[in-house]
Amino acid sequence: MNESVVRRILPAELAVAVLTALLGVVAVVGAGMKVDLPWWALAAVALPTAGFAGWTGAQIGRRRGIRNEVLEPGETVVATYTVRPPYAEHAPPAAHEGPQYQLRVTTKSLEMWERSALLWRHPLSELRLIADGPRLRVHHGEHEVGTMLLERPDALHEIRHAARRYGAV
């Protein structure tokens, strides 16, 4: 990544890291105070909590910053949906990694992400979204871009409704 991209991603990374660290420490200290733990025990638990929560928040913020780099001026994210892995033998991701595959609907496009890697992005006006039972089939022109099984069953209709509102067929 070049230096200008890193400079734009860093604020998102830091903001989420600070927020998650703060929330983690508040939760630990609050629980510790309820059971009357001494200050040194609270500090011993709060410091590692802040570190782990801050690190996890930095990873979340970094991923968010990378994803927002592909947005065009004036484009906003409508929603993000978790997509189940294509093969059953995939091991579930660790809790700090988040979902492996996500479909993101913006005001101008539909994007498929594998964590921080953009797999594809197509303008909504050029897409045709078809409900095939519990699966969403995405067509770009004459080609099928993907068939997805979404984590939430109701997400299929939400995606089609949002995409139609912004120009998909």
Side-chain angles (χ1 to χ4, degrees):
M1 249 186 270
N2 66 30
E3 194 174 317
S4 66
V5 172
V6 171
R7 280 193 191 139
R8 288 191 303 263
I9 292 173
L10 190 61
E13 198 171 350
L14 291 175
V16 179
V18 168
L19 180 65
T20 55
L22 183 64
L23 289 173
V25 168
V26 166
V28 167
V29 169
M33 288 175 71
K34 278 186 179 179
V35 294
D36 292 326
L37 285 179
W39 70 266
W40 55 268
L42 285 174
V45 175
L47 288 175
T49 299
F52 290 129
W55 178 81
T56 302
Q59 300 306 311
I60 294 168
R62 180 178 183 279
R63 183 174 297 159
R64 225 177 245 168
I66 289 171
R67 288 181 179 184
N68 288 343
E69 275 296 303
V70 302
L71 294 176
E72 297 173 6
E75 185 176 15
T76 58
V77 176
V78 175
T80 303
Y81 300 93
T82 300
V83 178
R84 291 189 184 167
Y87 304 104
E89 62 264 10
H90 275 245
H96 72 276
E97 291 178 340
Q100 184 172 0
Y101 298 102
Q102 288 189 314
L103 190 67
R104 188 165 85 157
V105 181
T106 72
T107 53
K108 296 182 181 180
S109 65
L110 189 66
E111 305 167 349
M112 182 67 177
W113 290 87
E114 182 176 5
R115 294 202 170 90
S116 295
L118 179 62
L119 300 177
W120 51 260
R121 173 185 165 101
H122 296 291
L124 287 172
S125 59
E126 299 174 9
L127 292 178
R128 196 171 69 244
L129 304 175
I130 302 167
D132 184 14
R135 290 175 171 74
L136 174 68
R137 295 177 57 197
V138 181
H139 290 265
H140 182 248
E142 297 296 319
H143 304 287
E144 185 171 341
V145 177
T147 301
M148 288 150 248
L149 185 60
L150 301 158
E151 192 71 30
R152 289 186 11 235
D154 62 327
L156 174 69
H157 300 294
E158 285 180 23
I159 292 170
R160 292 184 66 216
H161 178 72
R164 277 196 195 121
R165 185 174 33 197
Y166 293 104
V169 180

